[in-house]
Each structure stands twice: as structure tokens, then as C-alpha cells.
Amino acid sequence: MNTQDIQKIKEKIPKYLRENDLRSLDVYKYHGADYTFVENLLNPFWTWYASFFPDWMAPNMITFIGLLINVSASLLVVFNDPTLEGKCPDWCYVIAAISLITYLNFDCADGKQARRLHASSPLGQLFDHGCDAVNEVFIIMVLASACGTGSSSI
């Protein structure tokens, strides 16, 4: 395949972002919204918490490790209660709760780590929010099991 063939293929692929959009993405800078009362209360804790992560640990790694912790605990619940009828041993729910709190703290600390290392990026922000979205599915599964919303005769 020669260069002209590759160019023809590239021209046929639909573009989702215009050139101007791609340039804007290069200069994008995140500006967080105002903090809530709870965030203002917990920000010093998250800054302190993030200080325990080594400098070589990328913020995205913190996000991913937190996701793995919570997904593992959620799968433990689903393994013990596959029909989500609330028949899971109590200790599974305790582990799931601790894992969720750990994930939430990791999720908040990753941003602090990124700012501390000057490693903030649009891709990192997208990865963080993507992991949050994936995590919602697992949080809802544990919640469904804890509430016993599985099989019913309705």
C-alpha cells in the first residue's frame, strides 16, 4: 500500500473533531468549579492523603488502582449474591463500603497528585471521569444487592 492509498483512506474516515477543535484541545486548561462545603472541609485531608503517594506514581495510576479496588469488592458481592437479592454475607458489604471510601479518596487524591507533580492534562481528566462513570455501574450493583432488589415476582 503506497502513500496515496493511505491518504485516500484517511480522507474517507469521518472527522469528529475539526482542526480548530484539536488546536483548542492542545491549549485546554481545567478550571474547577467552586467547592462545596464538604469539599472545603475535606480538601486539607485529601491534600495530606495525596502526599503519601510517591512522586513516581502517575495520577492516572492512582485512579486506576482505586477503580480496581472498588471493582474487586463489587465482584465479591456479586459472586456471593448473583441474583442481587440481599443474600450476601455482611462482611462482603463491609468490604464493599471500605473499598468505595478508598476509591473516593483515591479519586480526590489523584487530582491533588496531578497538581503537585504539575501533570494535569485533559487526557488525565477524561480518564478520571471515565473511571468514575465505569465505577457507577459497580456501585449500583452493590447497592442493588444491599437493598435486595434482585429477582421478584412482579
Side-chain angles (χ1 to χ4, degrees), residues 25-89:
L25 191 57
D26 284 337
V27 296
Y28 171 81
K29 184 158 174 80
Y30 175 70
H31 299 286
D34 293 335
Y35 290 120
T36 65
F37 172 75
V38 174
E39 287 173 318
N40 284 330
L41 193 66
L42 291 174
N43 262 325
F45 169 75
W46 291 324
T47 302
W48 170 81
Y49 192 80
S51 71
F52 289 99
F53 293 107
D55 289 348
W56 56 262
M57 185 176 280
N60 288 347
M61 183 184 284
I62 297 171
T63 303
F64 188 65
I65 291 170
L67 178 68
L68 289 179
I69 290 169
N70 199 54
V71 167
S72 299
S74 300
L75 293 176
L76 178 69
V77 169
V78 172
F79 177 78
N80 283 287
D81 185 21
T83 57
L84 305 178
E85 294 176 352
K87 297 179 180 175
C88 197

Side-chain angles (χ1 to χ4, degrees), residues 1 9 27 32 34 54 90 93 95 111 120-121 135 137:
M1 194 175 266
I9 291 171
V27 296
D34 293 335
D90 291 343
Y93 294 123
I95 289 174
S120 298
S121 71
N135 205 18
V137 174

